[in-house]
Amino acid sequence: MSFEIHVSGRVKEVVERELPRLVESLIASGITAGDADLWGVDAAAEASRRLGWVDAVTVSRPLVPAILELRNDLVARGLTRVVLAGMGGSSLAPEVITQTAGAPLVILDSTDPGQVLSAIDGDVESGGLAETVLVVSSKSGSTIETDSVRRAFEAAWRDLGIDPAERIIVVTDPGSPLEESARAAGYRVFASDPNVGGRYSALAAFGLVPAGLAGVDIAELLDEAEATLLEVAIDDPRNPALVLASAIAGTDVVGARRDKLGLVTDGTHIVGLPDWIEQLVAESTGKSGTGILPVVLLPVSPEVDETPPDLQLVRLVDDAEHFRILEQHPDEVLISGSLGAQFVVWEYATAIAGRMLGINPFDQPDVESAKTAARGLLDVRPTGVAPAFSADGVEVRVSDSALAAPGTLAGVLDALWRVLGPTGYVAVQAYLDRTAVPQLAGLRELIAADSGRPTTFGWGPRFLHSTGQYHKGGPATGVFLQILGSGEVDLEVPGRPFTFGQLIAAQAAGDADVLVARGRPVVTLTLTDPQIDVLSLFEAAQ
């Protein structure tokens, strides 16, 4: 088998309770047949346009020779550095694919001006702008982050006397505004299947083009996925997608459900898969006041050491021998499989979980609210809100003045944790250059221990296209900690009346405004010098 899943303890009882109903419902074969009515009348129209991922392996096969031919041409021309400008589903799958294969790909899913500048400049090891090609990946063709990055690269190449048409490859839906403008500019365009939603597009052009250009054997990836298709298509209790959906969305005998999903990488050769799963599950299920919140964990994370009763642990391992871990860690889900198989099984399982939860797993109704708020702030440019106080180089702003009453960073964090209910969670949102302060991600471990509740960490604005839907559409149980920079470095967005610094600030403020309007507590910390002030955050969270 190309994919194995083992369950034990309480979760095994949940699976055994749910499986017969799922098998009887014929949902696995129904998804494979493209039955758009599986998720109810309200979801049918959307589902009818979003089930193309079921046939992605077959549809994508003809792309492989064209991608490989283009890669060979680029390498022959000395263009060996590939940068991907994309958000959400356009970047997360290529990131997992290339990291697992050890292929170099620069992911630019940020509007932080320092990170954009670094991607443009390159480095001695990977090459500079003269050796770079840019993959511009956007399903809608109107993603503001991707459009802004494209404009910056075009200007940089023109400054060097280089025609951007020789360096830019576009992946988008046919008929999108980006396809039209790209063809007019002479860019190479790969049109993806429009019936595949962004977060389900790992095996479509959005996943394969950047990975293939970076040097990954994408034909092998499709082979891995194909080997699993029969397993997930049958209405059988051994179907791994049915088992996984039961484990992550099922209820026990008294109707209780663990609505948080701890994803632990423990010895698997696959690198970064939990980040891809996080978007797939959170954006698909976090709506109508319900959902499943993925929490990316380490084997030594506080939530693994003392697992909260509302969190289900899923441990990603490498082979069957690791399943002996079950003896040491009962009541967990253990999974092993190739990367292609993981993509297929998780996509099926997430769609099935959507039906179990009674929601449409293919829309994202609350994502647009933050985009609208950000655009409004870019148009109006309101005067910034004064901080409640400043301490240790950090400006503190709060959604409720009571949160600032302690007057210290540690006190503000403690006040935020006190707002948490017994089923709450903490979301840390860092609108900073993740290549410059990667150590900031370690703050998650300290906050999880300090708050005693499951804690997520996301780089902004990247997470807005991932867990952002769950934050606003899921259960109103989260508290939110934004971390911003002071914006000393900035970069113009050519042809636009705003800079990258203004854009990322508007995205942070816009999302905070929407969260507060929906009753979510928000604390915003602005670091004067992120490299130095991050230490103040670590001290405050201990």
Side-chain angles (χ1 to χ4, degrees):
M1 296 177 65
S2 57
F3 187 96
E4 293 187 62
I5 178 168
H6 290 242
V7 294
S8 66
R10 172 197 173 277
V11 68
K12 183 177 181 180
E13 296 175 1
V14 170
V15 169
E16 291 175 345
R17 169 183 165 83
E18 297 286 356
L19 270 179
R21 288 184 288 205
L22 291 178
V23 171
E24 185 178 355
S25 73
L26 305 181
I27 188 170
S29 59
I31 290 175
T32 305
D35 184 354
D37 295 324
L38 290 169
W39 298 273
V41 175
D42 292 341
E46 181 81 22
S48 69
R49 304 189 304 269
R50 292 291 177 261
L51 285 169
W53 52 272
V54 173
D55 300 313
V57 172
T58 301
V59 172
S60 296
R61 286 285 185 190
L63 287 174
V64 175
I67 295 170
L68 297 183
E69 180 182 4
L70 178 57
R71 170 175 164 75
N72 291 336
D73 174 65
L74 294 173
V75 171
R77 292 159 50 198
L79 303 178
T80 55
R81 179 175 180 261
V82 182
V83 176
L84 171 60
M87 303 299 295
S90 298
S91 64
L92 290 164
E95 185 172 50
V96 177
I97 296 168
T98 53
Q99 286 183 339
T100 298
L105 177 66
V106 178
I107 302 290
L108 185 50
D109 53 2
S110 176
T111 49
D112 179 271
Q115 191 167 338
V116 176
L117 281 168
S118 295
I120 291 174
D121 293 341
D123 54 51
V124 174
E125 182 178 349
S126 64
L129 189 61
E131 294 80 39
T132 297
V133 294
L134 178 70
V135 180
V136 178
S137 189
S138 170
K139 180 175 174 63
S140 68
S142 58
T143 310
I144 189 170
E145 298 94 339
T146 307
D147 176 74
S148 299
V149 167
R150 174 184 59 80
R151 291 167 178 271
F153 269 84
E154 286 173 337
W157 273 313
R158 290 189 180 110
D159 287 345
L160 293 180
I162 296 173
D163 183 359
E166 299 176 356
R167 303 302 183 89
I168 292 180
I169 298 102
V170 169
V171 186
T172 189
D173 274 5
S176 75
L178 178 58
E179 185 196 30
E180 182 179 347
S181 63
R183 293 195 187 281
Y187 299 156
R188 176 67 181 270
V189 176
F190 287 88
S192 190
D193 182 352
N195 294 314
V196 179
R199 57 185 174 274
Y200 290 83
S201 64
L203 298 171
F206 290 103
L208 299 181
V209 171
L213 295 181
V216 176
D217 186 344
I218 52 177
E220 181 181 12
L221 180 69
L222 292 176
D223 290 342
E224 293 173 355
E226 187 172 29
T228 314
L229 292 180
L230 181 60
E231 295 177 47
V232 298
I234 58 175
D235 299 298
D236 186 283
R238 294 168 295 180
N239 180 330
L242 293 179
V243 176
L244 181 56
S246 299
I248 67 175
T251 59
D252 61 20
V253 69
V254 297
R257 178 174 69 86
R258 294 175 175 174
D259 66 352
K260 299 170 186 69
L261 183 66
L263 300 167
V264 184
T265 299
D266 194 356
T268 177
H269 70 286
I270 300 174
V271 181
L273 183 62
D275 290 331
W276 176 81
I277 296 172
E278 181 181 46
Q279 188 216 7
L280 176 69
V281 174
E283 197 168 53
S284 295
T285 69
K287 58 201 68 169
S288 301
T290 188
I292 302 168
L293 177 67
V295 184
V296 179
L297 302 172
L298 302 173
V300 295
S301 290
E303 297 96 327
V304 177
D305 187 44
E306 295 185 19
T307 305
D310 55 341
L311 184 141
Q312 177 61 57
L313 286 178
V314 173
R315 197 178 292 262
L316 306 172
V317 298
D318 216 16
D319 55 58
E321 289 185 7
H322 284 85
F323 287 122
R324 64 178 181 271
I325 296 174
L326 275 171
E327 300 174 1
Q328 305 162 357
H329 302 279
D331 202 21
E332 293 186 7
V333 180
L334 269 66
I335 289 175
S336 72
S338 65
L339 180 55
Q342 295 277 2
F343 284 149
V344 170
V345 174
W346 279 99
E347 287 173 351
Y348 263 83
T350 301
I352 295 166
R355 169 156 167 163
M356 296 171 69
L357 296 175
I359 50 90
N360 177 0
F362 305 116
D363 68 353
Q364 46 284 331
D366 300 288
V367 169
E368 187 62 31
S369 59
K371 295 180 182 179
T372 301
R375 286 193 293 266
L377 291 171
L378 283 174
D379 292 339
V380 177
R381 309 280 176 83
T383 303
V385 177
F389 68 90
S390 298
D392 302 320
V394 180
E395 295 180 349
V396 179
R397 293 172 176 83
V398 295
S399 60
D400 182 342
S401 59
L403 294 172
T408 65
L409 290 179
V412 168
L413 295 183
D414 287 340
L416 189 61
W417 310 159
R418 284 195 295 271
V419 180
L420 281 166
T423 60
Y425 67 93
V426 181
V428 183
Q429 306 169 340
Y431 290 85
L432 294 168
D433 180 353
R434 65 175 171 135
T435 65
V437 284
Q439 68 272 26
L440 185 60
L443 184 65
R444 195 219 74 85
E445 304 300 315
L446 295 177
I447 288 178
D450 194 39
S451 68
R453 292 301 300 155
T455 300
T456 65
F457 182 95
W459 295 101
R462 162 184 169 125
F463 78 86
L464 291 175
H465 300 258
S466 176
T467 51
Q469 167 62 41
Y470 185 98
H471 295 160
K472 293 175 279 290
T477 57
V479 300
F480 299 86
L481 178 65
Q482 290 190 328
I483 305 173
L484 284 58
S486 60
E488 291 185 0
V489 176
D490 208 349
L491 176 67
E492 295 288 332
V493 179
R496 295 298 191 198
F498 52 80
T499 67
F500 278 97
Q502 291 167 337
L503 174 56
I504 195 170
Q507 289 176 306
D511 193 49
D513 287 348
V514 174
L515 289 169
V516 172
R518 300 193 182 194
R520 274 66 159 174
V522 179
V523 168
T524 300
L525 306 179
T526 303
L527 312 186
T528 304
D529 184 338
Q531 292 285 358
I532 296 175
D533 299 334
V534 68
L535 297 177
S536 299
L537 299 188
F538 276 80
E539 292 173 359
Q542 292 185 29

